[in-house]
């Protein structure tokens, strides 16, 4: 077994062998609402730094080219739930960092979070490689997102008070390098806030190799332990973890039950649809995600 890609120590262990044959070569796997849940290449864990990642040779540049062209029309169907989710993220963010200032949302998708932050008085910008999402933002939210691949995020030192990444960090082949950039771009005392999937959660442990968030799009997984290790190593002075809440429509929630049992999912979908509740938005506690606030 090779050395850990992140800490270079020879302490890698195979966590799960691949449960699909081919390495990704198709942009449809990179749509935000793509359904390749639980299908993945070989997954390894470093016993030293606790990083868990897909052990496939694919560059960030290659992955960015997929994100640039992927289209995701299904994304819009959850827009009401997303608006509530992002409003709640913003409220929590403002409690953690009351003085509003310059904010960058990395991997902002259609820019809804940026729109909400602008409306609340932040000087907000969004970075998004996907051309379809950037067009969507212009047309629907009247904002000009920065349309660049992540590896070309080159803001100078001390550019922002707050940088956010909602459900983004697990998409990078090298999240540590991306966080180093974030650290550099934050002013001293600034806040880096992100949400991510948790490979050491109870649900991930129960589901094992079939855990929904093991998928082509997700390249590296920050457990609490790995996040703490690297955030401190990079230089963040205070790291706070929180449980993760979001809003989902009952219709979407029912489709996600398919990860546990397709028959149960179908029955739930039919019942919810029969009752006319598919679009009803409900709060949802995700055991297998967490939020993290790291202060520079
Ligand atoms: Zn390591």
């Amino acid at each position: 077994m090779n050395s850990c890609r992140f800490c270079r120590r020879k302490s890698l262990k195979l966590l799960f062998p691949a449960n699909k044959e081919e390495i990704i070569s198709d942009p449809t796997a990179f749509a935000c609402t793509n359904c390749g849940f639980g299908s993945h290449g070989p997954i390894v864990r470093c016993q030293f730094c606790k990083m868990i990642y897909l052990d496939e040779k694919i560059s960030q540049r290659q992955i960015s080219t997929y994100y640039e062209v992927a289209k995701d029309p299904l994304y819009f169907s959850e827009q009401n739930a997303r608006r509530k989710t992002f409003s709640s993220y913003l409220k929590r963010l403002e409690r953690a960092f009351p003085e509003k200032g310059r904010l960058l949302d990395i991997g902002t998708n259609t820019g809804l979070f940026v729109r909400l932050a602008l409306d609340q008085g932040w000087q907000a910008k969004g970075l998004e490689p996907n051309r379809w999402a950037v067009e969507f933002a212009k047309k629907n939210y009247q904002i000009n997102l920065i349309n660049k691949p992540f590896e070309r995020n080159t803001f100078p030192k001390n550019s922002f008070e707050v940088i956010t990444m909602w459900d983004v960090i697990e998409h990078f082949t090298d999240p540590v390098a991306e966080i180093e950039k974030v650290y550099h771009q934050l002013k001293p005392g600034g806040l880096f806030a992100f949400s991510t999937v948790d490979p050491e959660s109870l649900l991930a442990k129960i589901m094992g190799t079939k855990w929904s968030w093991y998928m082509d799009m997700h390249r590296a997984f920050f457990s609490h332990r790995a996040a703490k290790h690297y955030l401190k190593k990079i230089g963040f002075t205070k790291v706070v973890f929180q449980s993760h809440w979001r809003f989902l429509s009952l219709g979407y929630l029912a489709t996600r039950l398919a990860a546990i049992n397709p028959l149960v999912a179908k029955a739930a979908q039919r019942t919810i649809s029969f009752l006319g509740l598919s679009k009803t938005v409900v709060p949802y506690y995700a055991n297998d995600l967490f939020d993290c606030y790291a202060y520079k």
Side-chain angles (χ1 to χ4, degrees), residues 188-231:
L191 171 67
F192 171 42
F194 66 93
S195 59
T196 190
V197 296
D198 183 1
E200 292 185 343
S201 60
L202 183 64
L203 192 60
K205 282 180 181 156
I206 292 170
M207 298 297 290
T209 186
K210 288 190 158 181
W211 185 43
S212 303
W213 304 129
Y214 289 139
M215 64 203 301
D216 283 337
M217 277 204 296
H218 294 168
R219 309 307 300 176
F221 300 83
F222 257 17
S223 59
H224 284 72
R225 291 188 292 174
K228 201 161 197 172
H229 177 85
Y230 282 107
L231 288 164

Side-chain angles (χ1 to χ4, degrees), residues 134-153:
V134 170
E135 279 306 308
F136 186 99
K138 201 182 276 177
K139 219 185 272 171
N140 296 279
Y141 303 137
Q142 293 73 50
I143 43 176
N144 288 313
L145 300 174
I146 304 156
N147 189 199
K148 267 188 190 173
F150 299 117
E151 65 277 9
R152 287 181 47 213
N153 161 21

Side-chain angles (χ1 to χ4, degrees), residues 4 6-9 11 46 48-51 230:
C4 169
F6 298 93
C7 70
R8 306 282 169 208
R9 282 180 172 77
S11 44
C46 174
F48 179 77
C49 73
K50 313 299 179 194
M51 278 296 263
Y230 282 107

Side-chain angles (χ1 to χ4, degrees), residues 117-135:
L118 285 167
D119 292 345
Q120 292 303 316
W122 291 82
Q123 298 165 47
K125 288 185 171 141
L127 177 76
E128 174 54 46
N130 186 272
R131 292 195 275 272
W132 175 87
V134 170
E135 279 306 308

